[in-house]
Amino acid sequence: MKGLGELERSIMDVIWAQHSAVTAREVGRLIADRDLAPTTVMTVLDRLTRKGFLHRTRDGRAWRYEPAESRDAYIAELMLEALDLTGDRSAALTRFAQAVSGNEAEILRRALTELEDE
């Protein structure tokens, strides 16, 4: 999975927060704090579509954009890529487990138990 640049990440954050597909104009309004030209928003949306982060469908003369995957799926993929960078996955996972809070550790335990039960 390719990474996201700062502007791409900001736009994906806006799109992930929506409950339905959005147009470039809507994205521009939702990211108004960045004061971006409409063409910049459209260029980034097109690039995110080509990278596989977004799906788009025609809506009249406009495109509607929605995430190809959830934010959680994206973050999980980043975590797996980070594990691939280490020469010792066991050591990295152990360090990660030592760094999480008690509540997070319990969530991990439950998820692993559910996987084992499948």
Side-chain angles (χ1 to χ4, degrees), residues 17-31:
Q18 304 313 301
H19 298 291
S20 60
V22 291
T23 64
R25 184 177 303 233
E26 291 167 336
V27 171
R29 278 197 301 266
L30 292 166
I31 198 167

Side-chain angles (χ1 to χ4, degrees), residues 31-88:
I31 198 167
D33 62 316
R34 297 289 298 257
D35 193 31
L36 300 171
T39 53
T40 300
V41 174
M42 288 187 294
T43 298
V44 174
L45 290 169
D46 182 59
R47 188 175 11 180
L48 288 166
T49 300
R50 283 187 277 116
K51 284 183 168 184
F53 286 98
L54 296 174
H55 292 299
R56 69 179 174 192
T57 54
R58 270 283 181 205
D59 184 8
R61 291 177 39 183
W63 289 104
R64 288 206 166 271
Y65 297 88
E66 61 187 342
E69 297 284 343
S70 69
R71 180 193 321 259
D72 293 339
Y74 171 66
I75 298 300
E77 186 67 29
L78 288 177
M79 292 168 71
L80 289 170
E81 285 181 8
L83 276 176
D84 287 341
L85 296 176
T86 181
D88 186 350

